[in-house]
Protein backbone atom coordinates (compact mmCIF):
# COMPACT_ATOMS: atom_id res chain seq x y z
CA UNK A 1 0.00 0.00 0.00
CA UNK A 2 1.43 3.39 -1.03
CA UNK A 3 1.96 6.22 1.44
CA UNK A 4 -0.52 8.35 -0.52
CA UNK A 5 -3.24 5.67 -0.26
CA UNK A 6 -2.66 5.31 3.49
CA UNK A 7 -3.10 9.07 3.92
CA UNK A 8 -6.38 9.04 1.97
CA UNK A 9 -7.70 6.11 4.04
CA UNK A 10 -6.88 7.99 7.23
CA UNK A 11 -8.69 11.05 5.85
CA UNK A 12 -11.71 8.85 5.05
CA UNK A 13 -11.75 7.58 8.63
CA UNK A 14 -11.61 11.12 10.07
CA UNK A 15 -14.24 12.40 7.62
CA UNK A 16 -16.51 9.41 8.34
CA UNK A 17 -16.31 10.12 12.08
CA UNK A 18 -17.20 13.75 11.43
CA UNK A 19 -20.28 12.80 9.35
CA UNK A 20 -21.50 10.42 12.07
CA UNK A 21 -21.07 13.10 14.74
CA UNK A 22 -23.04 15.60 12.68
CA UNK A 23 -25.86 13.10 12.16
CA UNK A 24 -25.90 12.17 15.84
CA UNK A 25 -26.07 15.86 16.77
CA UNK A 26 -28.93 16.34 14.25
CA UNK A 27 -27.12 19.19 12.50
CA UNK A 28 -28.84 20.89 9.50
CA UNK A 29 -29.13 18.66 6.43
CA UNK A 30 -27.24 21.16 4.26
CA UNK A 31 -24.23 21.05 6.57
CA UNK A 32 -24.25 17.23 6.66
CA UNK A 33 -24.57 17.01 2.85
CA UNK A 34 -21.43 19.12 2.39
CA UNK A 35 -19.36 16.80 4.59
CA UNK A 36 -20.89 13.67 2.99
CA UNK A 37 -19.84 14.98 -0.43
CA UNK A 38 -16.26 15.38 0.84
CA UNK A 39 -16.35 11.79 2.16
CA UNK A 40 -17.60 10.41 -1.17
CA UNK A 41 -14.90 12.34 -3.04
CA UNK A 42 -12.21 10.77 -0.85
CA UNK A 43 -13.64 7.28 -1.42
CA UNK A 44 -13.78 7.91 -5.16
CA UNK A 45 -10.10 8.89 -5.07
CA UNK A 46 -9.18 5.55 -3.47
CA UNK A 47 -11.25 3.65 -6.07
CA UNK A 48 -9.54 5.59 -8.87
CA UNK A 49 -6.06 4.83 -7.49
CA UNK A 50 -6.93 1.13 -7.10
CA UNK A 51 -8.23 1.00 -10.65
CA UNK A 52 -4.99 2.50 -11.98
CA UNK A 53 -2.89 0.09 -9.92
CA UNK A 54 -4.71 -2.93 -11.37
CA UNK A 55 -4.69 -1.70 -14.97
CA UNK A 56 -8.32 -0.62 -14.87
CA UNK A 57 -9.61 -3.85 -13.37
CA UNK A 58 -11.63 -3.88 -10.15
CA UNK A 59 -9.67 -5.02 -7.11
CA UNK A 60 -11.42 -7.53 -4.86
CA UNK A 61 -11.50 -6.31 -1.25
CA UNK A 62 -11.46 -9.30 1.08
CA UNK A 63 -13.26 -8.25 4.24
CA UNK A 64 -16.54 -8.94 6.01
CA UNK A 65 -19.29 -6.29 5.77
CA UNK A 66 -19.31 -3.61 8.46
CA UNK A 67 -20.75 -4.85 11.74
CA UNK A 68 -20.27 -8.55 10.92
CA UNK A 69 -17.53 -11.08 11.56
CA UNK A 70 -16.34 -14.62 10.90
CA UNK A 71 -16.07 -17.22 13.67
CA UNK A 72 -13.25 -19.76 13.80
CA UNK A 73 -13.70 -23.30 15.23
CA UNK A 74 -12.52 -22.20 18.70
CA UNK A 75 -15.06 -19.38 18.79
CA UNK A 76 -17.82 -21.63 17.46
CA UNK A 77 -17.10 -24.23 20.16
CA UNK A 78 -17.44 -21.53 22.81
CA UNK A 79 -20.65 -20.19 21.26
CA UNK A 80 -22.21 -23.64 21.01
CA UNK A 81 -21.41 -24.31 24.65
CA UNK A 82 -23.15 -21.09 25.69
CA UNK A 83 -26.18 -21.77 23.49
CA UNK A 84 -26.48 -25.32 24.83
CA UNK A 85 -26.65 -24.01 28.41
CA UNK A 86 -29.29 -21.45 27.43
CA UNK A 87 -31.44 -24.03 25.62
CA UNK A 88 -31.18 -26.35 28.65
CA UNK A 89 -32.76 -23.64 30.83
CA UNK A 90 -35.45 -22.88 28.23
CA UNK A 91 -36.40 -26.56 28.03
CA UNK A 92 -36.33 -26.94 31.81
CA UNK A 93 -39.13 -24.37 31.92
CA UNK A 94 -41.18 -26.26 29.33
CA UNK A 95 -40.54 -24.13 26.24
CA UNK A 96 -40.83 -25.47 22.70
CA UNK A 97 -38.99 -24.11 19.67
CA UNK A 98 -40.21 -22.38 16.49
CA UNK A 99 -38.53 -20.68 13.54
CA UNK A 100 -39.62 -17.83 11.24
CA UNK A 101 -38.22 -16.34 7.99
CA UNK A 102 -35.12 -14.16 8.24
CA UNK A 103 -37.03 -11.48 6.28
CA UNK A 104 -40.60 -10.23 6.69
CA UNK A 105 -42.95 -8.03 4.72
CA UNK A 106 -41.91 -4.48 5.55
CA UNK A 107 -45.39 -3.49 6.74
CA UNK A 108 -45.16 -6.24 9.41
CA UNK A 109 -42.14 -4.52 10.97
CA UNK A 110 -43.11 -0.87 10.40
CA UNK A 111 -44.34 1.11 13.40
CA UNK A 112 -43.29 -1.41 16.07
CA UNK A 113 -39.91 -0.06 17.17
CA UNK A 114 -40.36 3.68 17.72
CA UNK A 115 -37.25 5.72 16.93
CA UNK A 116 -35.30 2.52 16.25
CA UNK A 117 -37.36 1.85 13.10
CA UNK A 118 -34.68 3.68 11.12
CA UNK A 119 -32.31 0.79 11.91
CA UNK A 120 -34.34 -1.76 9.91
CA UNK A 121 -32.58 -3.18 6.84
CA UNK A 122 -34.81 -2.83 3.76
CA UNK A 123 -34.36 -5.23 0.85
CA UNK A 124 -34.61 -4.46 -2.85
CA UNK A 125 -38.03 -5.04 -4.41
CA UNK A 126 -38.05 -8.64 -5.64
CA UNK A 127 -41.17 -9.38 -7.66
CA UNK A 128 -43.56 -6.95 -6.01
CA UNK A 129 -43.02 -7.75 -2.30
CA UNK A 130 -41.44 -5.00 -0.18
CA UNK A 131 -39.34 -6.89 2.37
CA UNK A 132 -37.05 -6.12 5.30
CA UNK A 133 -34.66 -8.19 7.38
CA UNK A 134 -36.09 -8.97 10.81
CA UNK A 135 -35.06 -6.50 13.53
CA UNK A 136 -35.86 -8.85 16.41
CA UNK A 137 -37.66 -12.14 17.06
CA UNK A 138 -40.61 -10.67 18.97
CA UNK A 139 -42.55 -9.05 16.13
CA UNK A 140 -42.21 -12.18 13.92
CA UNK A 141 -43.56 -14.21 16.87
CA UNK A 142 -46.58 -11.92 17.14
CA UNK A 143 -47.20 -12.23 13.38
CA UNK A 144 -46.87 -16.03 13.64
CA UNK A 145 -49.36 -16.23 16.54
CA UNK A 146 -51.94 -14.08 14.72
CA UNK A 147 -51.49 -15.89 11.40
CA UNK A 148 -51.65 -19.37 12.98
CA UNK A 149 -54.49 -18.37 15.37
CA UNK A 150 -52.48 -19.58 18.38
CA UNK A 151 -53.69 -18.21 21.72
CA UNK A 152 -51.27 -19.98 24.08
CA UNK A 153 -47.64 -21.08 23.72
CA UNK A 154 -44.38 -21.06 25.63
CA UNK A 155 -41.68 -20.84 23.01
CA UNK A 156 -37.98 -20.23 22.58
CA UNK A 157 -36.29 -19.04 19.42
CA UNK A 158 -32.56 -18.70 18.71
CA UNK A 159 -31.74 -16.99 15.41
CA UNK A 160 -29.94 -14.09 13.76
CA UNK A 161 -31.42 -10.60 13.53
CA UNK A 162 -30.22 -7.48 11.70
CA UNK A 163 -29.90 -3.81 12.70
CA UNK A 164 -28.35 -0.96 10.72
CA UNK A 165 -26.75 0.38 13.89
CA UNK A 166 -23.29 1.84 14.51
CA UNK A 167 -21.40 -1.32 15.51
CA UNK A 168 -19.06 -1.58 18.50
CA UNK A 169 -17.39 -4.92 17.85
CA UNK A 170 -15.34 -5.08 21.06
CA UNK A 171 -18.51 -4.59 23.12
CA UNK A 172 -20.46 -7.26 21.29
CA UNK A 173 -22.65 -4.87 19.25
CA UNK A 174 -23.00 -5.98 15.64
CA UNK A 175 -25.27 -5.44 12.67
CA UNK A 176 -25.86 -9.19 12.38
CA UNK A 177 -26.23 -11.03 15.67
CA UNK A 178 -28.00 -13.82 17.50
CA UNK A 179 -30.95 -13.36 19.82
CA UNK A 180 -32.08 -16.03 22.27
CA UNK A 181 -35.72 -15.38 23.14
CA UNK A 182 -38.06 -16.98 25.67
CA UNK A 183 -41.72 -15.92 25.56
CA UNK A 184 -44.97 -16.96 27.24
CA UNK A 185 -48.13 -16.16 25.27
CA UNK A 186 -51.63 -16.56 26.67
CA UNK A 187 -54.14 -15.16 29.15
CA UNK A 188 -52.88 -15.95 32.64
CA UNK A 189 -53.06 -14.43 36.11
CA UNK A 190 -51.15 -11.22 36.81
CA UNK A 191 -47.35 -11.45 37.12
CA UNK A 192 -47.03 -15.24 37.42
CA UNK A 193 -45.51 -15.75 33.93
CA UNK A 194 -43.67 -12.42 34.24
CA UNK A 195 -41.88 -13.63 37.38
CA UNK A 196 -40.87 -16.87 35.63
CA UNK A 197 -39.22 -14.85 32.85
CA UNK A 198 -37.09 -13.10 35.47
CA UNK A 199 -36.20 -16.50 36.94
CA UNK A 200 -35.16 -17.78 33.48
CA UNK A 201 -32.77 -14.84 33.02
CA UNK A 202 -31.28 -15.38 36.48
CA UNK A 203 -30.71 -19.11 35.90
CA UNK A 204 -29.00 -18.47 32.56
CA UNK A 205 -26.67 -15.72 33.80
CA UNK A 206 -25.75 -17.69 36.93
CA UNK A 207 -25.07 -20.81 34.84
CA UNK A 208 -22.77 -18.97 32.43
CA UNK A 209 -20.59 -17.72 35.31
CA UNK A 210 -19.90 -14.29 33.83
CA UNK A 211 -19.85 -12.40 37.12
CA UNK A 212 -22.28 -10.55 39.37
CA UNK A 213 -25.38 -9.12 37.75
CA UNK A 214 -28.63 -7.37 38.59
CA UNK A 215 -31.95 -7.63 36.77
CA UNK A 216 -33.57 -4.18 36.71
CA UNK A 217 -37.38 -4.12 36.73
CA UNK A 218 -39.89 -1.40 35.93
CA UNK A 219 -43.40 -1.04 34.50
CA UNK A 220 -44.56 0.85 31.41
CA UNK A 221 -47.84 1.85 33.10
CA UNK A 222 -45.86 3.35 35.97
CA UNK A 223 -43.61 5.21 33.53
CA UNK A 224 -46.61 6.63 31.66
CA UNK A 225 -48.24 7.56 34.97
CA UNK A 226 -45.02 9.23 36.09
CA UNK A 227 -44.86 11.24 32.85
CA UNK A 228 -48.50 12.28 33.27
CA UNK A 229 -47.94 13.29 36.91
CA UNK A 230 -44.94 15.40 35.85
CA UNK A 231 -46.94 17.20 33.14
CA UNK A 232 -45.66 15.49 29.98
CA UNK A 233 -48.22 15.78 27.14
CA UNK A 234 -49.67 12.36 26.20
CA UNK A 235 -48.39 12.62 22.62
CA UNK A 236 -44.81 12.90 23.92
CA UNK A 237 -44.88 9.82 26.22
CA UNK A 238 -43.09 7.53 23.74
CA UNK A 239 -40.44 10.06 22.72
CA UNK A 240 -39.69 10.95 26.35
CA UNK A 241 -39.56 7.24 27.15
CA UNK A 242 -36.91 6.83 24.41
CA UNK A 243 -34.89 9.64 26.00
CA UNK A 244 -35.09 8.06 29.48
CA UNK A 245 -33.96 4.76 27.90
CA UNK A 246 -30.57 6.40 27.22
CA UNK A 247 -29.79 6.86 30.94
CA UNK A 248 -27.78 3.64 30.99
CA UNK A 249 -25.35 5.19 28.49
CA UNK A 250 -25.62 8.97 29.08
CA UNK A 251 -25.65 11.16 32.21
CA UNK A 252 -28.90 12.80 33.30
CA UNK A 253 -27.70 16.23 32.14
CA UNK A 254 -27.47 15.02 28.52
CA UNK A 255 -30.84 13.26 28.67
CA UNK A 256 -32.43 16.37 30.15
CA UNK A 257 -30.99 18.48 27.32
CA UNK A 258 -32.48 16.09 24.77
CA UNK A 259 -35.89 16.28 26.48
CA UNK A 260 -35.85 20.07 26.43
CA UNK A 261 -34.21 21.00 23.13
CA UNK A 262 -35.12 18.02 20.92
CA UNK A 263 -38.41 16.85 22.44
CA UNK A 264 -39.69 20.31 23.44
CA UNK A 265 -40.24 19.61 27.14
CA UNK A 266 -40.41 22.37 29.75
CA UNK A 267 -37.42 22.44 32.14
CA UNK A 268 -39.65 22.16 35.24
CA UNK A 269 -41.25 19.03 33.78
CA UNK A 270 -37.85 17.53 32.95
CA UNK A 271 -36.62 18.27 36.50
CA UNK A 272 -39.60 16.45 38.00
CA UNK A 273 -38.86 13.41 35.82
CA UNK A 274 -35.22 13.61 36.95
CA UNK A 275 -36.27 13.28 40.60
CA UNK A 276 -38.10 10.03 39.86
CA UNK A 277 -35.69 8.31 37.48
CA UNK A 278 -32.89 8.45 40.03
CA UNK A 279 -34.85 6.18 42.41
CA UNK A 280 -34.25 2.45 42.76
CA UNK A 281 -34.88 -0.18 45.43
CA UNK A 282 -37.33 -2.95 46.27
CA UNK A 283 -40.69 -3.30 47.97
CA UNK A 284 -39.81 -0.33 50.19
CA UNK A 285 -39.63 1.90 47.12
CA UNK A 286 -42.99 0.60 45.86
CA UNK A 287 -44.61 1.54 49.19
CA UNK A 288 -42.93 4.95 49.12
CA UNK A 289 -44.26 5.66 45.62
CA UNK A 290 -47.74 4.43 46.55
CA UNK A 291 -47.79 7.21 49.13
CA UNK A 292 -46.60 9.81 46.60
CA UNK A 293 -49.51 12.31 46.17
CA UNK A 294 -48.73 13.06 42.50
CA UNK A 295 -48.54 9.38 41.47
CA UNK A 296 -51.55 8.43 43.62
CA UNK A 297 -53.68 10.75 41.51
CA UNK A 298 -52.84 8.94 38.26
CA UNK A 299 -54.69 5.68 37.59
CA UNK A 300 -51.98 4.06 35.43
CA UNK A 301 -49.30 4.77 38.04
CA UNK A 302 -51.42 3.20 40.80
CA UNK A 303 -52.05 0.09 38.68
CA UNK A 304 -48.37 -0.18 37.69
CA UNK A 305 -47.25 0.01 41.31
CA UNK A 306 -49.74 -2.67 42.39
CA UNK A 307 -48.41 -5.00 39.71
CA UNK A 308 -44.79 -4.23 40.61
CA UNK A 309 -45.52 -5.08 44.23
CA UNK A 310 -46.92 -8.45 43.17
CA UNK A 311 -43.98 -9.12 40.82
CA UNK A 312 -41.37 -8.39 43.51
CA UNK A 313 -43.23 -10.68 45.92
CA UNK A 314 -43.32 -13.55 43.42
CA UNK A 315 -39.64 -13.06 42.55
CA UNK A 316 -38.76 -13.36 46.23
CA UNK A 317 -40.71 -16.65 46.44
CA UNK A 318 -38.73 -17.88 43.40
CA UNK A 319 -35.49 -17.23 45.29
CA UNK A 320 -34.70 -13.89 43.65
CA UNK A 321 -33.86 -11.08 46.01
CA UNK A 322 -30.28 -9.86 45.61
CA UNK A 323 -30.46 -10.44 41.85
CA UNK A 324 -33.30 -7.96 41.16
CA UNK A 325 -33.86 -4.22 41.59
CA UNK A 326 -36.88 -2.00 40.98
CA UNK A 327 -35.36 0.85 38.95
CA UNK A 328 -37.34 3.85 37.69
CA UNK A 329 -34.64 4.78 35.16
CA UNK A 330 -35.36 1.63 33.15
CA UNK A 331 -37.50 2.52 30.13
CA UNK A 332 -36.73 0.22 27.13
CA UNK A 333 -37.44 2.26 24.04
CA UNK A 334 -39.46 -0.21 21.94
CA UNK A 335 -43.04 0.93 21.39
CA UNK A 336 -44.73 -2.44 21.83
CA UNK A 337 -44.12 -2.86 25.59
CA UNK A 338 -47.28 -2.43 27.70
CA UNK A 339 -46.41 -3.74 31.18
CA UNK A 340 -43.42 -4.97 33.15
CA UNK A 341 -40.00 -4.43 31.53
CA UNK A 342 -36.66 -6.07 32.37
CA UNK A 343 -32.98 -5.48 31.74
CA UNK A 344 -30.02 -7.43 33.14
CA UNK A 345 -26.65 -5.74 33.54
CA UNK A 346 -23.33 -6.81 35.03
CA UNK A 347 -22.82 -4.97 38.33
CA UNK A 348 -19.05 -5.42 38.48
CA UNK A 349 -17.48 -5.39 35.04
CA UNK A 350 -15.22 -8.46 34.73
CA UNK A 351 -11.49 -7.98 34.40
CA UNK A 352 -9.06 -9.94 32.28
CA UNK A 353 -5.30 -10.26 32.55
CA UNK A 354 -3.53 -9.23 29.38
CA UNK A 355 0.25 -9.50 29.41
CA UNK A 356 0.34 -8.87 33.14
CA UNK A 357 -1.99 -5.87 32.96
CA UNK A 358 -5.51 -6.07 34.38
CA UNK A 359 -8.08 -4.64 31.96
CA UNK A 360 -11.82 -4.08 32.57
CA UNK A 361 -14.30 -5.58 30.09
CA UNK A 362 -17.18 -3.27 29.14
CA UNK A 363 -20.19 -4.87 27.46
CA UNK A 364 -23.42 -3.15 28.67
CA UNK A 365 -26.70 -4.98 29.23
CA UNK A 366 -26.81 -8.76 28.72
CA UNK A 367 -30.58 -9.41 28.67
CA UNK A 368 -33.83 -7.50 28.31
CA UNK A 369 -37.52 -7.84 27.64
CA UNK A 370 -40.98 -7.22 28.99
CA UNK A 371 -44.73 -7.58 28.51
CA UNK A 372 -46.39 -6.75 25.18
CA UNK A 373 -50.12 -7.44 25.35
CA UNK A 374 -51.24 -5.54 22.23
CA UNK A 375 -48.71 -6.63 19.60
CA UNK A 376 -50.49 -9.79 18.36
CA UNK A 377 -53.74 -7.83 17.96
CA UNK A 378 -52.03 -5.51 15.46
CA UNK A 379 -51.84 -8.46 13.05
CA UNK A 380 -55.16 -10.18 13.77
CA UNK A 381 -57.94 -9.18 11.30
CA UNK A 382 -60.43 -8.92 14.19
CA UNK A 383 -57.94 -7.31 16.55
CA UNK A 384 -57.94 -10.32 18.88
CA UNK A 385 -55.33 -9.84 21.57
CA UNK A 386 -52.97 -12.52 22.87
CA UNK A 387 -51.13 -11.23 25.97
CA UNK A 388 -47.39 -12.01 25.85
CA UNK A 389 -44.32 -11.57 28.03
CA UNK A 390 -40.75 -12.51 27.22
CA UNK A 391 -37.03 -11.94 27.54
CA UNK A 392 -34.08 -11.93 25.15
CA UNK A 393 -30.55 -12.93 26.14
CA UNK A 394 -27.79 -10.73 24.66
CA UNK A 395 -25.58 -13.66 23.70
CA UNK A 396 -23.22 -11.69 21.45
CA UNK A 397 -22.12 -9.56 24.38
CA UNK A 398 -21.69 -12.67 26.50
CA UNK A 399 -19.65 -14.29 23.70
CA UNK A 400 -17.42 -11.20 23.51
CA UNK A 401 -16.76 -11.31 27.24
CA UNK A 402 -15.96 -15.03 27.32
CA UNK A 403 -13.79 -14.81 24.20
CA UNK A 404 -11.75 -12.00 25.77
CA UNK A 405 -11.29 -14.02 28.97
CA UNK A 406 -10.23 -17.13 27.06
CA UNK A 407 -7.74 -15.25 24.92
CA UNK A 408 -6.19 -13.50 27.93
CA UNK A 409 -5.91 -16.71 29.95
CA UNK A 410 -4.64 -18.77 27.01
CA UNK A 411 -7.48 -21.28 27.28
CA UNK A 412 -7.86 -23.60 24.30
CA UNK A 413 -11.18 -25.41 23.79
CA UNK A 414 -11.72 -28.66 21.94
CA UNK A 415 -13.37 -27.98 18.61
CA UNK A 416 -14.45 -31.56 17.82
CA UNK A 417 -16.06 -34.42 19.80
CA UNK A 418 -13.78 -37.15 18.41
CA UNK A 419 -13.23 -39.87 21.03
CA UNK A 420 -10.91 -42.26 19.20
CA UNK A 421 -8.28 -41.83 16.49
CA UNK A 422 -7.56 -44.95 14.45
CA UNK A 423 -3.82 -44.93 13.66
CA UNK A 424 -1.53 -47.29 11.77
CA UNK A 425 2.05 -48.05 12.76
CA UNK A 426 3.14 -49.62 9.46
CA UNK A 427 2.66 -49.17 5.74
CA UNK A 428 -0.19 -50.82 3.85
CA UNK A 429 -2.68 -50.86 6.72
CA UNK A 430 -5.07 -48.22 5.40
CA UNK A 431 -7.70 -50.83 4.42
CA UNK A 432 -7.54 -52.31 7.92
CA UNK A 433 -8.03 -48.79 9.32
CA UNK A 434 -11.12 -48.38 7.15
CA UNK A 435 -12.57 -51.67 8.44
CA UNK A 436 -11.93 -50.74 12.08
CA UNK A 437 -13.27 -47.22 11.81
CA UNK A 438 -16.42 -48.48 10.09
CA UNK A 439 -17.06 -50.77 13.07
CA UNK A 440 -16.56 -47.83 15.44
CA UNK A 441 -18.91 -45.54 13.50
CA UNK A 442 -21.53 -48.29 13.31
CA UNK A 443 -21.17 -48.69 17.09
CA UNK A 444 -21.93 -44.98 17.62
CA UNK A 445 -18.35 -44.03 18.52
CA UNK A 446 -17.00 -40.66 17.34
CA UNK A 447 -13.82 -41.52 15.48
CA UNK A 448 -11.50 -40.31 12.74
CA UNK A 449 -8.33 -41.40 10.95
CA UNK A 450 -5.73 -40.05 8.54
CA UNK A 451 -6.67 -39.57 4.89
CA UNK A 452 -3.16 -40.69 3.82
CA UNK A 453 -2.49 -44.32 2.99
CA UNK A 454 0.81 -44.46 4.88
CA UNK A 455 0.95 -41.66 7.47
CA UNK A 456 3.77 -41.44 10.00
CA UNK A 457 2.80 -42.71 13.44
CA UNK A 458 4.37 -39.74 15.24
CA UNK A 459 2.30 -37.29 13.20
CA UNK A 460 -0.89 -39.22 13.99
CA UNK A 461 -0.18 -39.20 17.74
CA UNK A 462 0.71 -35.50 17.70
CA UNK A 463 -2.65 -34.82 16.04
CA UNK A 464 -4.37 -36.64 18.92
CA UNK A 465 -2.56 -34.50 21.51
CA UNK A 466 -3.22 -31.23 19.68
CA UNK A 467 -6.93 -31.99 19.26
CA UNK A 468 -7.46 -33.39 22.77
CA UNK A 469 -8.60 -36.80 21.50
CA UNK A 470 -8.63 -39.12 24.55
CA UNK A 471 -7.81 -42.46 22.85
CA UNK A 472 -5.70 -43.67 19.91
CA UNK A 473 -6.25 -47.13 18.49
CA UNK A 474 -2.94 -48.25 16.92
CA UNK A 475 -2.90 -50.98 14.28
CA UNK A 476 0.36 -52.89 13.73
CA UNK A 477 1.25 -55.95 11.65
CA UNK A 478 2.37 -58.16 14.56
CA UNK A 479 -0.59 -57.13 16.73
CA UNK A 480 -3.13 -57.86 13.98
CA UNK A 481 -1.57 -61.31 13.46
CA UNK A 482 -2.19 -61.99 17.17
CA UNK A 483 -5.77 -60.68 16.88
CA UNK A 484 -5.15 -57.60 19.06
CA UNK A 485 -4.63 -53.82 18.68
CA UNK A 486 -2.98 -51.30 20.93
CA UNK A 487 -5.16 -48.80 22.81
CA UNK A 488 -3.23 -45.69 23.85
CA UNK A 489 -4.53 -43.23 26.45
CA UNK A 490 -3.28 -40.00 24.86
CA UNK A 491 -2.75 -37.84 27.95
CA UNK A 492 -0.86 -40.46 30.02
CA UNK A 493 0.62 -42.25 26.95
CA UNK A 494 -0.18 -45.60 28.59
CA UNK A 495 -0.80 -48.45 26.14
CA UNK A 496 -2.67 -51.74 26.55
CA UNK A 497 -3.51 -54.51 24.08
CA UNK A 498 -7.18 -55.24 23.51
CA UNK A 499 -8.88 -57.89 21.40
CA UNK A 500 -9.59 -57.02 17.78
CA UNK A 501 -12.94 -58.80 18.12
CA UNK A 502 -15.88 -56.75 19.40
CA UNK A 503 -13.62 -53.72 19.42
CA UNK A 504 -16.52 -51.24 19.33
CA UNK A 505 -18.12 -52.74 22.46
CA UNK A 506 -14.82 -52.67 24.36
CA UNK A 507 -14.15 -49.05 23.42
CA UNK A 508 -17.72 -48.05 24.34
CA UNK A 509 -17.17 -49.58 27.79
CA UNK A 510 -13.90 -47.71 28.31
CA UNK A 511 -15.34 -44.43 27.04
CA UNK A 512 -18.26 -44.81 29.47
CA UNK A 513 -15.77 -45.24 32.34
CA UNK A 514 -13.87 -42.16 31.12
CA UNK A 515 -17.05 -40.03 31.07
CA UNK A 516 -17.90 -41.15 34.61
CA UNK A 517 -14.37 -40.41 35.84
CA UNK A 518 -13.70 -44.07 36.64
CA UNK A 519 -11.08 -44.76 33.97
Amino acid sequence: MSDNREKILEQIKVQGDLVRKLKAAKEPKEKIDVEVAKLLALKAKVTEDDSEATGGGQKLLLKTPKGTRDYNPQQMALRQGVLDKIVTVFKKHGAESIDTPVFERKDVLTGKYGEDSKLIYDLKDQGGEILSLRYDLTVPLARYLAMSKISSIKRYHIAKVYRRDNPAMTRGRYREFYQCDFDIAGTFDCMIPDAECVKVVSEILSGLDIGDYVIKLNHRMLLDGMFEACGVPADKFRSICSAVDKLDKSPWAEVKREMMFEKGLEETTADQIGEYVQLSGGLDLVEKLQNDPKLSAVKSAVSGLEQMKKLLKYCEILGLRNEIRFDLSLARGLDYYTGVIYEAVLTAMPEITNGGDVEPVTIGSVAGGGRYDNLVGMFDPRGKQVPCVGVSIGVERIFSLLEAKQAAEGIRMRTTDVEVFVASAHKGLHEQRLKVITELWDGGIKAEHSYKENPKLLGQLQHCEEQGIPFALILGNSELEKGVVKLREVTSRKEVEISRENIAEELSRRLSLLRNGDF
Side-chain angles (χ1 to χ4, degrees), residues 147-164:
M147 196 173 86
S148 307
K149 302 194 181 308
I150 295 171
S151 58
S152 179
I153 191 174
K154 186 190 296 181
R155 83 88 169 89
Y156 74 89
H157 191 183
I158 297 177
K160 287 183 176 181
V161 299
Y162 300 85
R163 297 183 185 178
R164 199 162 48 87

Side-chain angles (χ1 to χ4, degrees), residues 328-381:
L328 282 176
S329 70
L330 178 63
R332 305 220 29 103
L334 300 181
D335 278 1
Y336 52 66
Y337 289 125
T338 58
V340 64
I341 48 179
Y342 323 103
E343 185 167 277
V345 296
L346 300 184
T347 51
M349 285 302 178
E351 294 181 337
I352 61 172
T353 304
N354 189 2
D357 297 326
V358 176
E359 300 177 356
V361 179
T362 306
I363 58 172
S365 67
V366 290
R371 175 162 287 280
Y372 50 102
D373 288 347
N374 302 330
L375 189 56
V376 177
M378 293 182 181
F379 301 114
D380 189 89

Side-chain angles (χ1 to χ4, degrees), residues 456-468:
K456 292 181 179 179
L457 180 59
L458 180 60
Q460 296 172 83
L461 297 179
Q462 284 178 339
H463 172 78
C464 293
E465 292 182 357
E466 290 168 0
Q467 297 299 316

Side-chain angles (χ1 to χ4, degrees), residues 195 198-199 202-203 206 213 215 311-324:
V198 182
K199 180 68 172 175
S202 178
E203 288 181 358
S206 297
Y213 62 89
I215 305 171
L311 175 64
L312 292 172
K313 179 183 176 182
Y314 288 163
C315 284
E316 188 169 330
I317 293 172
L318 292 174
L320 304 172
R321 177 177 289 181
N322 298 328
E323 299 91 343
I324 62 173

Side-chain angles (χ1 to χ4, degrees), residues 54 56 234 336 338 406 425 487:
T54 56
Y336 52 66
T338 58
Q406 275 198 351
L487 179 65

Side-chain angles (χ1 to χ4, degrees), residues 6 23 46 155 182 263 364 398 477:
E6 286 184 357
K23 288 181 177 179
V46 171
R155 83 88 169 89
F182 174 93
K263 316 292 186 186
I398 293 170
N477 289 324

Side-chain angles (χ1 to χ4, degrees), residues 125-325:
D125 183 358
Q126 299 287 345
E129 280 193 315
I130 309 301
L131 306 173
S132 298
L133 293 178
R134 61 187 173 203
Y135 177 90
D136 66 5
L137 301 178
T138 306
V139 171
L141 168 65
R143 190 265 308 151
Y144 166 80
L145 295 177
M147 196 173 86
S148 307
K149 302 194 181 308
I150 295 171
S151 58
S152 179
I153 191 174
K154 186 190 296 181
R155 83 88 169 89
Y156 74 89
H157 191 183
I158 297 177
K160 287 183 176 181
V161 299
Y162 300 85
R163 297 183 185 178
R164 199 162 48 87
D165 202 353
N166 285 325
M169 309 288 274
T170 56
R171 297 183 61 189
R173 193 168 77 208
Y174 303 94
R175 290 183 167 182
E176 176 193 59
F177 58 95
Y178 272 102
Q179 279 194 336
C180 299
D181 282 19
F182 174 93
D183 292 79
I184 302 172
T187 303
F188 305 109
D189 289 335
C190 179
M191 291 296 150
I192 295 178
D194 308 64
E196 183 166 349
C197 287
V198 182
K199 180 68 172 175
V200 165
V201 173
S202 178
E203 288 181 358
I204 288 172
L205 297 183
S206 297
L208 293 175
D209 193 25
I210 56 174
D212 295 336
Y213 62 89
V214 64
I215 305 171
K216 297 191 285 187
L217 311 173
N218 202 359
H219 202 291
R220 266 294 175 82
M221 292 176 69
L222 174 57
L223 275 170
D224 288 351
M226 180 183 75
F227 294 150
E228 182 179 342
C230 293
V232 178
D235 62 348
K236 291 185 182 293
F237 280 7
R238 293 284 71 83
S239 63
I240 297 303
C241 190
S242 294
V244 171
D245 188 43
K246 297 172 184 174
L247 280 171
D248 62 333
K249 306 179 189 74
S250 306
W252 165 247
E254 286 185 19
V255 173
K256 177 183 174 181
R257 260 197 308 275
E258 179 181 334
M259 288 181 177
M260 292 169 55
F261 300 115
E262 294 182 27
K263 316 292 186 186
L265 214 59
E266 295 290 335
E267 183 173 8
T268 53
T269 302
D271 287 337
Q272 289 181 68
I273 294 172
E275 292 176 9
Y276 283 115
V277 296
Q278 296 178 55
L279 300 175
S280 65
L283 282 168
D284 55 338
L285 178 57
V286 174
E287 292 169 2
K288 176 184 175 182
L289 294 174
Q290 284 179 320
N291 293 321
D292 184 296
K294 286 193 295 185
L295 295 179
S296 300
V298 181
K299 185 178 178 181
S300 62
V302 172
S303 178
L305 285 168
E306 287 174 353
Q307 292 184 33
M308 282 302 304
K309 188 172 185 178
K310 186 169 286 191
L311 175 64
L312 292 172
K313 179 183 176 182
Y314 288 163
C315 284
E316 188 169 330
I317 293 172
L318 292 174
L320 304 172
R321 177 177 289 181
N322 298 328
E323 299 91 343
I324 62 173
R325 185 173 73 224

